[in-house]
Amino acid sequence: LERTFSIIKPDATRRNLTGKIVAKFEDAGLRVVASKRIQMTLAQAQAFYGVHSERPFFGELCEFMISEPVVVQVLEGEGAIAKNREVMGATNPSDAAAGTIRAEFAESVGENSVHGSDAPETAAEEIAFFFSGLELV
Ligand code: ATP
Ligand code: MG
């Protein structure tokens, strides 16, 4: 089964929405196989979002990601990467399909409740960035 990496972002943890978001994953056929609540450091946020370092919103994005603890998870299922992206919905909640996490919970294009890996290579990298081999069974 495929695995993907997910972050429940500060806007969602702040509003105590972790369980409601996990329920969306589970309803879509994804299984949480690793989960922890962490406080990201600025250096971790900058490294994690390194591909966006030249974008105008980079500073704001990194400050947002360290503004509260986040929940990092590994999700498993058939076609987990695409399935997770589908249940997350479009980056901008005003474009997100009804019933998706971002349509129901996201506050803005920046504070959009969840992150999900976009390809097998990034999923593997992002899982290894936050979880050790011992935490993955
Ligand atoms: P993610 O990578 O978090 O799963 P995504 O792949 O849908 O989301 P990206 O284009 O990779 O979106 O952007 C990464 C994150 O940067 C977005 O989830 C959002 O938090 C933030 N972001 C993207 N575009 C903007 C914008 N125009 N203004 C502010 N923040 C933005
Ligand atoms: Mg992305």
Side-chain angles (χ1 to χ4, degrees):
L1 286 175
E2 190 172 68
R3 288 184 170 190
T4 191
F5 175 73
S6 164
I7 303 178
I8 302 178
K9 293 183 177 182
D11 66 287
T13 57
R14 189 188 314 119
R15 288 175 289 147
N16 205 20
L17 293 171
T18 299
K20 287 192 168 102
I21 289 173
V22 169
K24 291 277 196 190
F25 295 147
E26 293 178 344
D27 289 348
L30 296 166
R31 179 182 299 273
V32 178
V33 296
S35 182
K36 58 188 175 185
R37 182 171 180 266
I38 62 162
Q39 172 66 55
M40 279 176 90
T41 65
L42 184 59
Q44 281 172 332
Q46 289 169 337
F48 181 74
Y49 278 120
V51 295
H52 296 305
S53 62
E54 303 304 317
R55 309 281 285 277
F57 56 79
F58 180 67
E60 179 193 328
L61 174 61
C62 293
E63 289 299 330
F64 165 61
M65 292 301 290
I66 69 168
S67 65
E68 296 263 347
V70 297
V71 176
V72 290
Q73 300 189 306
V74 179
L75 307 177
E76 182 181 83
E78 216 170 285
I81 295 167
K83 200 171 267 183
N84 181 40
R85 300 281 297 182
E86 193 180 315
V87 74
M88 285 164 57
T91 309
N92 189 334
S94 57
D95 301 330
T100 61
I101 291 167
R102 283 166 168 167
E104 287 195 17
F105 304 123
E107 307 207 284
S108 67
V109 65
E111 308 209 352
N112 60 1
S113 303
V114 280
H115 163 82
S117 308
D118 55 16
E121 304 71 46
T122 48
E125 271 174 36
E126 291 172 2
I127 290 169
F129 189 85
F130 286 104
F131 289 95
S132 75
L134 281 173
E135 294 174 298
L136 297 167
V137 292

